[in-house]
């Protein structure tokens, strides 16, 4: 920028606030650099405290050349100097009398490099003392920390104190031995000889139970478990599984025998005597209800000699089972079929075969056990198993008559005619030799009452072929007693 003379009004960058003294001005304006000549002018200037711009006219003071390079407006804050503060007091006073010529007014040249800069470094607020809220926060945090530590130490002290809660427990290793006649003892003895059967057939697959009969690998189960089987898999209590083959079965007794090969360490179960079983005797059932292998349940003998029929799905009666069963309240469910019913000595006294549920018409009918289970007496199972192992089939004891199954009266009535119009009493058979006639009503077998044809068949099949029986017969309103020796017929 070109230099130009300064005239009234005075430049704002050279003005000062009202009421400032010469000393204040001197403090506000940095001293000239040494050797510039400006020092004498500043020192010789006489103070004029109340002088204003109107007291000295600008034309009377010669203009002083000031270049833009000598003065920068940014070196002096605009707020500190105003145009109204420029007055004659800036002109140094002289003791010489005034002359006609205007006196030269020395100008103070501002040297931005001659003193410390006017800028002030902002070093932030001056640190203050600790405030009340800080004291409160610190106190609260300290109290919380102290409370937490105190609570933790209190819990530790409570746990380690002599008044802590400790529930009593049997010390030392538990005695795992069980009495042989206990349920646990019976289960421990029998489980190694019980197996689970998984059967796959043309109509689907199913699960049943069986138990080992001998070291040759023969296993006894129910006929309905392996009926229509194409593949049979036997799983032992150890988890080992092998394939088994069907030896034979008899639907009339609902018994079957399968065999495994190449299995070592077989543990056959001991067979008891079902004729010695009494009502109230404790029993244990083992099976795989709903494919839950090695399930153990316990109960008692609820009744003996209970006539039970099962099957009959074919419609011709060839698949009906007639069982003079042992009744038990030990829980038996689907999958228990073929499993052992054991006495207190772990001897097999029955083969679990059937359960009784609620009536089909009953909306509350249950699909599982309601405490009415039935087992084939082991004496009958033993005889049938022996025949199947020996010949592949079993024989049935018979009296050689055809019964009227539609008879609704008390007892079993001999039919008027047999199948295909043949006589109801087989000529030369056991019944004919004993004197039984068509129309006779058999009311008792060995003194035990018979209420229907099913019960008569059950009572007869509870014996062996060749066994003698005493029959009570009602004929023409009169009872008579007949002796009969049971014959034999091939089973189905």
């Amino acid at each position: 920028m070109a230099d130009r003379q300064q005239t009234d009004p005075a430049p704002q960058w050279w003005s000062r606030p009202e009421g400032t003294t010469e000393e204040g001005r001197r403090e506000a304006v940095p001293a000239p650099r040494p050797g510039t000549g400006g020092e004498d002018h500043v020192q010789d200037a006489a103070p004029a405290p109340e002088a204003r711009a109107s007291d000295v006219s600008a034309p009377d003071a010669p203009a002083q050349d000031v270049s833009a390079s000598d003065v920068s407006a940014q070196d002096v804050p605009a707020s500190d100097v105003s145009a109204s503060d420029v007055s004659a007091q800036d002109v140094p006073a002289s003791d010489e009398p005034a002359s006609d010529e205007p006196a030269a007014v020395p100008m103070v040249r501002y040297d931005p490099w001659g003193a410390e800069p006017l800028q002030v470094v902002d070093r932030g607020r001056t640190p203050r003392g600790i405030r009340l809220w800080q004291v409160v926060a610190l106190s609260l945090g300290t109290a919380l920390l102290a409370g937490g530590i105190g609570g933790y130490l209190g819990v530790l002290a409570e746990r380690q104190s002599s008044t802590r809660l400790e529930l009593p427990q049997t010390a030392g290793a538990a005695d795992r031995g069980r009495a042989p006649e206990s349920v646990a003892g019976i289960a421990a003895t029998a489980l190694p000889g019980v197996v689970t059967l998984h059967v796959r057939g043309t109509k689907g697959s199913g699960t049943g139970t069986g138990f080992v009969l001998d070291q040759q690998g023969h296993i006894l189960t129910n006929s309905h478990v392996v009926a229509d089987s194409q593949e049979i898999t036997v799983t032992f209590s150890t988890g080992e599984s092998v394939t088994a083959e069907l030896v034979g079965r008899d639907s009339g007794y609902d018994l079957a025998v399968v065999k495994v090969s190449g299995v070592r360490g077989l543990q056959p179960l001991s067979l008891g005597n079902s004729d010695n079983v009494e009502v109230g005797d404790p029993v244990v059932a083992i099976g795989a209800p709903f494919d839950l292998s090695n399930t153990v349940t316990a109960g008692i003998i609820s009744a003996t000699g209970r006539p039970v029929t099962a099957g009959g799905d074919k419609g011709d009666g060839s698949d009906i089972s007639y069982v003079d069963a042992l009744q038990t309240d030990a829980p038996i469910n689907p999958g228990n079929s073929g499993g052992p019913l054991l006495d207190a000595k772990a001897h097999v006294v029955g083969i679990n075969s059937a359960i009784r549920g609620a009536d089909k018409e009953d909306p509350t009918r249950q699909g599982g056990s309601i405490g009415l289970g039935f087992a084939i007496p082991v004496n009958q199972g033993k005889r049938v198993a022996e025949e199947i192992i020996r010949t592949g089939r079993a024989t049935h004891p018979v009296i050689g008559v055809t019964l009227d199954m539609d008879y609704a009266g008390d007892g079993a009535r001999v039919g008027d005619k047999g199948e295909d119009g043949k006589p109801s009493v087989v000529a030369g058979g056991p019944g004919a030799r004993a004197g039984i006639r068509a129309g006779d009503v058999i009311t008792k077998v060995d003194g035990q009452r018979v209420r229907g044809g099913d019960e008569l068949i059950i009572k007869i099949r509870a014996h062996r072929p060749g066994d003698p029986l005493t029959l009570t017969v009602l004929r023409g309103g009169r009872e008579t007693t007949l002796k009969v020796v049971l014959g034999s017929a091939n089973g189905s």
Side-chain angles (χ1 to χ4, degrees):
M1 180 183 293
D3 294 343
R4 61 187 179 88
Q5 294 181 344
Q6 296 291 334
T7 59
D8 188 54
Q12 291 185 2
W13 52 267
W14 203 14
S15 62
R16 64 180 177 181
E18 292 184 2
T20 55
T21 62
E22 183 62 23
E23 295 178 356
R25 185 186 63 78
R26 291 175 184 176
E27 294 174 358
V29 179
R33 255 182 218 176
T36 59
E39 305 94 316
D40 296 338
H41 295 294
V42 175
Q43 294 174 355
D44 295 341
E50 301 297 332
R52 299 183 180 273
S54 59
D55 295 337
V56 179
S57 59
D60 295 337
Q64 184 74 25
D65 292 338
V66 180
S67 65
S69 61
D70 294 333
V71 179
S72 174
Q74 62 189 9
D75 293 334
V76 180
S79 61
D80 295 338
V81 181
S82 65
S84 62
D85 294 329
V86 179
S87 61
Q89 65 203 90
D90 294 327
V91 181
S94 177
D95 295 336
E96 297 180 11
S99 62
D100 296 336
E101 292 182 4
V105 180
M107 299 296 293
V108 179
R109 185 179 297 275
Y110 173 67
D111 186 358
W113 310 107
E116 296 180 357
L118 298 180
Q119 289 89 342
V120 179
V121 177
D122 186 3
R123 302 184 183 277
R125 296 183 178 179
T126 303
R128 299 180 179 179
I130 299 176
R131 297 186 177 183
L132 178 59
W133 69 269
Q134 294 174 327
V135 175
V136 172
L138 180 60
S139 301
L140 183 59
T142 303
L144 291 175
L145 179 61
I149 295 175
Y152 177 72
L153 294 178
V155 171
L156 289 180
E158 174 65 22
R159 290 181 177 179
Q160 297 177 0
S161 66
S162 59
T163 59
R164 65 181 180 180
L165 175 62
E166 184 175 354
L167 298 176
Q169 185 179 21
T170 302
D175 181 11
R176 302 184 65 86
R178 297 292 185 270
E181 66 276 7
S182 66
V183 174
I186 296 170
T189 301
L191 276 172
V194 180
V195 300
T196 301
L197 282 75
H198 294 92
V199 180
R200 185 175 60 85
T202 57
K203 297 181 180 179
S205 59
T207 302
T209 308
F211 59 92
V212 179
L213 292 173
D214 54 30
Q215 293 290 346
Q216 286 71 43
H218 293 106
I219 295 171
L220 184 62
T221 186
N222 282 143
S223 176
H224 71 264
V225 171
V226 296
D228 194 34
S229 62
Q230 291 181 323
E231 182 180 349
I232 303 172
T233 302
V234 172
T235 303
F236 294 86
S237 59
T238 58
E240 180 185 5
S241 296
V242 295
T243 301
E245 62 176 355
L246 178 63
V247 177
R249 70 186 187 93
D250 189 285
S251 59
Y253 288 113
D254 195 19
L255 291 171
V257 175
V258 300
K259 183 180 181 181
V260 296
S261 301
V263 180
R264 297 182 179 180
L266 294 175
Q267 298 188 34
L269 297 188
S270 298
L271 304 183
N273 188 348
S274 54
D275 290 341
N276 295 333
V277 173
E278 298 288 344
V279 174
D281 285 348
V283 288
V284 172
I286 301 179
F290 300 101
D291 204 15
L292 299 174
S293 301
N294 305 322
T295 297
V296 178
T297 57
I300 63 171
I301 294 295
S302 303
T304 61
R306 187 74 76 186
V308 174
T309 58
D313 295 334
K314 291 184 177 180
D316 58 0
S318 61
D319 61 337
I320 297 178
S321 301
Y322 299 91
V323 180
D324 195 26
L326 300 174
Q327 180 181 331
T328 179
D329 66 347
I332 297 174
N333 292 281
N336 273 102
S337 296
L341 185 68
L342 304 133
D343 62 13
K345 295 182 180 180
H347 295 162
V348 180
V349 294
I351 301 96
N352 300 318
S353 180
I355 61 173
R356 174 64 186 269
D359 293 336
K360 294 182 179 179
E361 293 78 11
D362 187 350
T364 63
R365 175 183 175 87
Q366 298 184 21
S369 172
I370 60 173
L372 296 175
F374 304 97
I376 301 169
V378 72
N379 290 4
Q380 184 174 355
K382 177 179 179 294
R383 181 185 68 83
V384 173
E386 290 172 345
E387 290 185 352
I388 291 176
I389 293 172
R390 186 173 60 250
T391 65
R393 59 191 310 172
T395 59
H396 298 171
V398 295
I399 60 174
V401 300
T402 301
L403 300 178
D404 181 6
M405 303 305 293
D406 295 330
Y407 179 69
D410 191 14
R413 182 177 182 274
V414 179
D416 297 327
K417 290 183 179 181
E419 296 180 1
D420 300 330
K422 296 179 180 180
S424 59
V425 179
V426 178
R433 292 194 297 266
I436 298 176
R437 301 176 185 177
D440 286 348
V441 177
I442 301 172
T443 58
K444 294 179 182 179
V445 175
D446 286 342
Q448 296 181 355
R449 181 165 293 280
V450 174
R451 296 178 177 82
D454 291 342
E455 287 194 22
L456 178 61
I457 296 173
I458 290 171
K459 295 299 182 182
I460 292 173
R461 289 192 180 181
H463 296 79
R464 292 173 179 268
D467 289 346
L469 293 179
T470 300
L471 303 180
T472 301
V473 177
L474 181 62
R475 182 186 299 166
R478 297 178 60 180
E479 284 188 347
T480 183
T481 300
L482 302 175
K483 300 288 185 180
V484 63
V485 177
L486 297 177
S488 177
N490 291 328
S492 57

